[in-house]
Amino acid sequence: MPSSPTPSERERDDAELKAKEATEQAALPYRWTQTIKDVDVTVAVPANIKGRDLDVVIKKTRLKAGLKGQPPIMEGDLAKPILVDESTWTLETTTAGKEISVHLDKVNKMEWWPNVLTHHPAIDTSKITPENSSLSDLDGETRTMVEKMMFDQRQKEAGKPTSDEQKKLDLLKKFQAEHPEMDFSNAKIS
């Protein structure tokens, strides 16, 4: 049975993987970043280009960006679906010239993308350290679930019953009150 890697071996492997990913990402014809909610892509173009010279097509599962009359700089299937009506592109002036800036709004705002286009190298999404977020960023159902988990964690730390355990205890008390003739002294509730 193979042994687990030592912390120094794991650190070395992680560094090698990170260097490989950095090399692969640097070779792409675009740069990209993401948050849990969206993906931003920038594509460098010559400084003399105007918006009318561009061919940018954003679809639910595909993206194409480049100059009219030339092969696209990037084109292919997106890693995950997007909300087309919430996604945009602009032509930006930078110190190095100009770039196409594409903002993609994710359909699933609870997952990281391994890549922008499926045929390009993937990153290890398990190594992503998300930015801090607040409960107000979450939708109602998710927020309620997170607040319940936080409450239950505080209760456990204080040696008190969690919300589910408290419901069971309350139900038992109500049943005992309705049935005083029954003896619950040896009852075990799990």
Side-chain angles (χ1 to χ4, degrees), residues 173-184:
K173 282 181 187 174
K174 180 181 174 191
F175 189 79
Q176 286 174 324
E178 291 172 356
H179 301 279
E181 73 281 1
M182 297 180 79
D183 178 20
F184 289 93

Side-chain angles (χ1 to χ4, degrees), residues 4-136:
S4 297
T6 65
S8 62
E9 289 172 333
R10 200 171 21 255
E11 216 172 271
R12 185 196 67 230
D13 292 347
D14 285 349
E16 287 174 5
L17 178 64
K18 193 171 185 160
K20 178 180 179 271
E21 281 183 3
T23 302
E24 290 173 345
Q25 295 299 310
L28 295 173
Y30 57 89
R31 300 283 165 264
W32 69 289
T33 59
Q34 69 177 314
T35 66
I36 198 72
K37 296 179 179 184
D38 51 37
V39 174
D40 290 301
V41 181
T42 56
V43 183
V45 293
N48 63 340
I49 294 298
K50 305 263 189 261
R52 66 177 173 268
D53 302 323
L54 299 174
D55 183 15
V56 180
V57 180
I58 301 173
K59 294 186 177 178
K60 184 174 180 142
T61 58
R62 286 191 62 80
L63 177 64
K64 175 178 153 183
L67 305 175
K68 285 183 182 171
Q70 295 183 24
I73 298 170
M74 65 180 298
E75 179 178 28
D77 293 328
L78 293 168
K80 306 284 180 177
I82 60 161
L83 299 169
V84 177
D85 291 343
E86 303 299 320
S87 300
T88 60
W89 69 270
T90 57
L91 180 62
E92 308 280 336
T93 301
T94 66
T95 54
K98 290 190 177 177
E99 66 185 19
I100 304 168
S101 179
V102 182
H103 174 81
L104 304 172
D105 204 47
K106 295 177 180 178
V107 168
N108 183 344
K109 298 185 184 315
M110 297 303 288
E111 69 181 340
W112 297 104
W113 286 16
N115 45 21
V116 178
L117 302 179
T118 55
H119 65 279
H120 286 160
I123 60 168
D124 182 355
T125 57
S126 69
K127 305 283 187 214
I128 293 176
T129 305
E131 71 279 356
N132 289 333
S133 60
S134 66
L135 285 174
S136 62

